[in-house]
């Protein structure tokens, strides 16, 4: 428009009114250009999500919390001492447990003013002073209490309504626990490098129900137990007396230690995430499948195409009906069953931590950076 008006100036002498009208029209045109070229938020949904777009939260601290399933976040870093290295974490409703060095646990009440207490798990162990290597490498909530595994000392339990952590006997040689759970009958299960063990009497006796070796995690649905262990996924319908290996589509698990698949459940749906890996014999892409018949048949999840495009997906789970996807560096959510996604939080790569854990209670999410390892 401006260039066109200048050309007109070369052919005739404009009147003052014409000049004023030209200037006004140019101003209007420039204003329209500014409106049309306004800066968009740096956070865009992938696909065609109708979810209200929020600015992506940059997770540069240690603990953040969301009261609306990831729409917005707030930092909780002021609630823990700066010298406390987080090794493990778990949630019991609104109580957040953080495990650290020297057998220490910090418990944060997420509702009542976000107050915290600091406890030492080994206080009941006579004639022993905790040392730095007594790291709390696993924290698990069960139906009757909270369990903690302390390197060099073993398993402890703090029963609900009790004030002290008490030693909980484990099978001989147990050096770490990957997962712990209790069923409706009061049986306690531990998933560890030697398989899966069950005790009906609070650790007095143990039975090794999964005997094939390394086990990573397990899910119990009705009378079925599914274990992700050596050579893939296994299932028992008779409480561990017999096991069957479950074929998952066309997945070819070639290495006996390929136990990185993540097994989880939501309502009556089983989810299996197979994360990408850079080793030659493992898949170069992520895959997500689901089963509605307790593992008999499997189908690609609606979100599978999206999951395949991501770099190293670590976890997929649900908060109510919102689907959450965690990678090495970000958290995303979907409100339409995995068809479209919104990036909620970015977690910059850092040498100061090895993973970040995302947990939920109600409609709230808590995200924690952990050092992990031994």
């Amino acid at each position: 428009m401006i260039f066109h008006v200048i050309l007109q100036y070369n052919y005739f002498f404009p009147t003052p009114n014409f000049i004023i009208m030209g200037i006004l029209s140019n101003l209007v045109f420039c204003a329209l250009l500014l409106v049309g070229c306004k800066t968009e938020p740096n956070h865009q949904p992938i696909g065609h999500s109708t979810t209200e777009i929020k600015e992506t939260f940059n997770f540069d601290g240690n603990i953040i919390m969301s009261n609306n399933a990831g729409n917005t976040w707030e930092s909780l870093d002021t609630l823990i001492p700066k010298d406390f290295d987080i090794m493990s974490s778990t949630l019991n409703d609104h109580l957040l447990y953080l495990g650290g060095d020297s057998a220490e646990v910090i418990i944060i009440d997420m509702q009542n003013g976000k107050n915290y207490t600091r406890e030492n798990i080994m206080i009941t162990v006579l004639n022993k002073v905790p040392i730095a290597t007594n790291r709390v490498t696993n924290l698990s909530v069960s139906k009757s209490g909270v369990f903690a595994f302390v390197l060099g000392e073993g398993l402890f339990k703090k029963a609900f309504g009790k004030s002290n952590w008490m030693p909980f006997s484990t099978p001989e040689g147990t050096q770490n626990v990957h997962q712990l759970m209790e069923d409706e009958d009061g049986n306690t299960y531990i998933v560890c490098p030697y398989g899966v063990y069950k005790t009906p009497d609070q650790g007095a006796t143990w039975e090794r129900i999964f005997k094939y070796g390394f086990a990573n995690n397990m899910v119990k649905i009705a009378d079925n137990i599914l274990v992700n262990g050596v050579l893939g996924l296994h299932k028992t319908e008779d409480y561990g007396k017999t096991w069957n290996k479950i074929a998952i589509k066309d997945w070819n698990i070639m290495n006996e230690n390929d136990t990185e698949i993540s097994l989880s459940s939501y309502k009556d749906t089983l989810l299996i995430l197979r994360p990408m890996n850079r080793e030659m014999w493992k898949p170069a892409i992520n895959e997500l499948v689901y089963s509605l018949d307790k593992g008999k048949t499997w189908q690609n999840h609606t979100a599978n195409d999206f999951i395949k495009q991501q770099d190293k997906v670590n976890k997929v789970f649900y908060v109510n009906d919102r689907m959450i996807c965690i990678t090495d560096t970000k958290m995303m959510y979907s409100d339409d069953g995995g068809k479209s996604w919104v990036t909620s939080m970015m977690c910059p790569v850092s040498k100061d931590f090895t993973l970040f854990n995302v947990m939920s209670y109600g409609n709230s999410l808590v995200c924690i950076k952990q050092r992990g390892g031994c």
Side-chain angles (χ1 to χ4, degrees):
M1 173 68 76
I2 295 175
F3 182 65
H4 181 64
V5 171
I6 290 176
L7 285 178
Q8 287 180 337
Y9 288 171
N10 292 329
Y11 289 97
F12 63 88
F13 296 98
T15 63
N17 288 338
F18 180 82
I19 294 175
I20 293 172
M21 291 177 62
I23 292 173
L24 290 175
S25 63
N26 289 332
L27 290 173
V28 170
F29 179 73
C30 291
L32 291 173
L33 284 176
L34 289 174
V35 171
C37 300
K38 67 178 182 178
T39 303
E40 295 294 334
N42 61 3
H43 163 62
Q44 294 283 349
I46 301 170
H48 303 284
S49 173
T50 57
T51 305
E52 181 183 356
I53 299 175
K54 303 288 185 182
E55 290 292 328
T56 302
F57 186 89
N58 189 37
F59 184 18
D60 55 5
N62 292 302
I63 306 178
I64 55 176
M65 176 182 177
S66 172
N67 286 318
N68 45 31
N71 289 343
T72 58
W73 297 90
E74 62 173 311
S75 173
L76 301 181
D77 285 341
T78 58
L79 297 181
I80 62 171
K82 293 182 179 180
D83 62 345
F84 189 85
D85 289 332
I86 303 172
M87 299 291 171
S88 56
S89 56
T90 193
L91 266 174
N92 172 33
D93 193 17
H94 61 280
L95 294 179
L96 173 64
Y97 292 77
L98 305 175
D101 294 333
S102 304
E104 284 197 318
V105 171
I106 284 180
I107 306 171
I108 301 175
D109 190 330
M110 310 295 288
Q111 289 184 342
N112 299 324
K114 298 187 178 66
N115 297 316
Y116 81 88
T117 58
R118 194 167 186 168
E119 300 179 354
N120 195 287
I121 294 173
M122 290 175 56
I123 195 170
T124 57
V125 180
L126 298 177
N127 303 319
K128 279 197 176 181
V129 177
I131 58 178
T133 54
N134 292 138
R135 295 170 178 166
V136 183
T137 58
N138 181 275
L139 285 165
S140 300
V141 174
S142 69
K143 295 180 181 297
S144 62
V146 181
F147 288 83
F149 192 89
V150 179
L151 281 182
E153 289 298 324
L155 191 63
F156 292 77
K157 178 181 180 180
K158 185 178 183 180
F160 294 140
K162 303 295 183 180
S163 58
N164 289 328
W165 296 83
M166 302 301 296
F168 195 95
S169 296
T170 55
E172 184 177 357
T174 304
Q175 299 178 355
N176 206 350
V177 171
H178 300 144
Q179 183 185 358
L180 186 147
M181 63 179 294
E182 285 181 336
D183 63 20
E184 295 78 6
D185 298 323
N187 297 304
T188 303
Y189 300 82
I190 61 170
V191 181
C192 68
Y194 299 109
V196 177
Y197 293 84
K198 180 179 78 170
T199 176
D201 47 22
Q202 297 295 299
T205 59
W206 288 91
E207 177 188 2
R208 189 184 182 202
I209 63 170
F210 183 77
K211 305 176 181 180
Y212 304 109
F214 189 95
N216 195 40
N217 65 327
M218 66 175 279
V219 166
K220 189 174 185 298
I221 298 182
D223 293 335
N224 295 263
I225 297 176
L226 292 93
V227 172
N228 166 31
V230 291
L231 293 177
L233 187 64
H234 305 258
K235 176 183 174 182
T236 178
E237 298 179 359
D238 52 16
Y239 298 96
K241 294 178 182 178
T242 58
W243 291 86
N244 295 309
K245 185 179 176 182
I246 295 180
I248 307 171
K249 294 173 58 62
D250 56 351
W251 291 2
N252 181 24
I253 300 177
M254 300 172 60
N255 187 285
E256 65 177 11
N257 294 317
D258 188 0
T259 57
E260 292 188 359
I261 63 173
S262 174
L263 175 65
S264 61
S265 63
Y266 175 68
K267 296 181 179 178
D268 294 327
T269 302
L270 279 171
L271 277 177
I272 287 187
L273 168 70
R274 191 184 194 188
M276 66 180 291
N277 198 292
R278 296 173 180 86
E279 298 178 65
M280 292 182 61
W281 64 84
K282 296 184 180 180
I285 57 174
N286 310 290
E287 293 186 78
L288 184 67
V289 297
Y290 74 97
S291 171
L292 296 175
D293 53 14
K294 301 176 183 178
K296 293 180 181 178
T297 59
W298 297 88
Q299 305 175 60
N300 284 337
H301 195 279
T302 302
N304 191 46
D305 289 340
F306 170 81
I307 295 296
K308 285 182 176 181
Q309 300 170 14
Q310 306 309 305
D311 185 24
K312 193 63 185 294
V313 177
N314 295 319
K315 189 176 182 180
V316 176
F317 64 102
Y318 283 87
V319 176
N320 297 324
D321 289 327
R322 170 169 285 187
M323 198 172 186
I324 306 290
C325 175
I326 307 296
T327 74
D328 280 346
T329 58
K330 60 186 174 181
M331 190 200 95
M332 299 161 286
Y333 64 78
S334 172
D335 290 326
D336 55 11
K339 297 177 183 178
S340 58
W341 294 83
V342 172
T343 301
S344 169
M345 176 268 292
M346 296 294 296
C347 184
V349 176
S350 170
K351 64 180 180 181
D352 295 329
F353 73 98
T354 57
L355 59 92
F356 66 92
N357 188 23
V358 180
M359 300 171 290
S360 65
Y361 73 95
N363 202 41
S364 297
L365 288 174
V366 180
C367 185
I368 300 166
K369 288 180 182 176
Q370 298 177 184
R371 290 188 182 273
C374 298

